[in-house]
Amino acid sequence: MDYLTTNRANWNARVPIHVASDFYDVEGFKASGRSVLRPFEVAEVGDVSGRRLAHLQCHLGLDTLSWARLGAEVTGLDFSSDAIHQARRIAAEGGIRARFVTADVYDAAEALGETFDIVYTGIGALVWLPDLTRWAETVAALLNPDGFLYLAEFHPFADILDDETGTKVTHDYFASGPHVWDEPYTYTGGELTEHRTSVQFQHGLGEVVSAVAAAGLRVEFVHEHDHTLFRRYATLSNDGTGYRLPEGAPKIPLMYSLRAAAPA
């Protein structure tokens, strides 16, 4: 299967559903001036005022534009032309200065034609990429000396456990894929009427760190977090800061974040 063509069609089909969804609340985002970034991301990245930031796999660009609202000079890249069209519209209507480019992430260095102080990639991005070595090399090529990569992701350990309780190992951690899915609904709850098939790839934490290090970046930290952004298991509850296991239950890593610096 041509994973890239299949996934591009799937994501183009998601765009109108996502734009209209309460999940993204695009109209509210434009009107409020708020950021949709998670607090730990803002804290770990630090002050972005006046810094040039590239957001890879940016989708509708709300995270990208949130960094702009915090003072960064932002560029977003995504392989979905429909998503980039909407990102440009949201930026224009929200009065936010930003550049958005349509390209596959592996072609980002050539497509963007410049380097950045920060390369950011948001949650849920890596499962769409078959080759993390090539991805990390692309990131390194995009960074200025002393620039850094910041990655926030769902923890791969969480995906090996059962959906009901998150206490039983039911999936193979090392089954990298490709995994082909045919799903009628997107994560915002809207129904896909066409292009329901997607192709995903599982990457263990060791694979991610090793790819980043092999690309010549110095890993500054890997932080594991005991909360996530949705009810990954039926037993999770929302405490206002994220979805967590019940009080008293043994904690497991549900998300992680990584920061890695380019050579000076």
Side-chain angles (χ1 to χ4, degrees), residues 42 45-53 66-73 118 148:
V42 176
V45 169
D47 185 11
V48 297
S49 299
R51 307 199 75 181
R52 297 170 59 80
L53 180 148
S66 294
W67 288 117
R69 283 176 168 167
L70 294 176
E73 300 176 18
I118 303 167
F148 64 88

Side-chain angles (χ1 to χ4, degrees), residues 84-197:
I84 290 297
H85 172 75
Q86 291 295 332
R88 290 170 178 162
R89 180 185 65 82
I90 295 165
E93 293 177 359
I96 307 171
R97 185 176 179 181
R99 175 192 179 206
F100 288 100
V101 176
T102 303
D104 178 41
V105 67
Y106 293 131
D107 299 326
E110 181 180 358
L112 298 182
E114 55 185 310
T115 54
F116 300 86
D117 302 310
I118 303 167
V119 171
Y120 166 78
T121 188
I123 295 157
L126 295 188
V127 295
W128 306 100
L129 303 179
D131 186 345
L132 287 196
T133 297
R134 187 179 174 192
W135 164 80
E137 291 170 349
T138 299
V139 169
L142 286 168
L143 284 170
N144 291 325
D146 287 331
F148 64 88
L149 161 70
Y150 181 79
L151 163 70
E153 261 294 1
F154 296 118
H155 202 294
F157 179 80
D159 288 332
I160 72 172
L161 304 176
D162 69 286
D163 292 337
E164 288 302 311
T165 66
T167 60
K168 300 176 183 178
V169 175
T170 56
H171 303 287
D172 185 346
Y173 183 85
F174 297 101
S176 59
H179 303 289
V180 180
W181 301 92
D182 186 356
E183 298 175 307
Y185 295 95
T186 180
Y187 54 83
T188 64
E191 184 174 6
L192 290 165
T193 59
E194 60 179 351
H195 304 301
R196 296 179 173 186
T197 303

Side-chain angles (χ1 to χ4, degrees), residues 225-247 249 251-252 254:
H225 306 279
D226 66 355
H227 66 280
T228 188
L229 305 182
F230 67 106
R231 187 166 278 109
R232 179 65 184 80
Y233 315 118
T235 50
L236 297 186
S237 59
N238 189 353
D239 67 358
T241 62
Y243 288 88
R244 302 174 190 271
L245 286 163
E247 188 68 30
K251 295 180 180 180
I252 61 171
L254 297 173

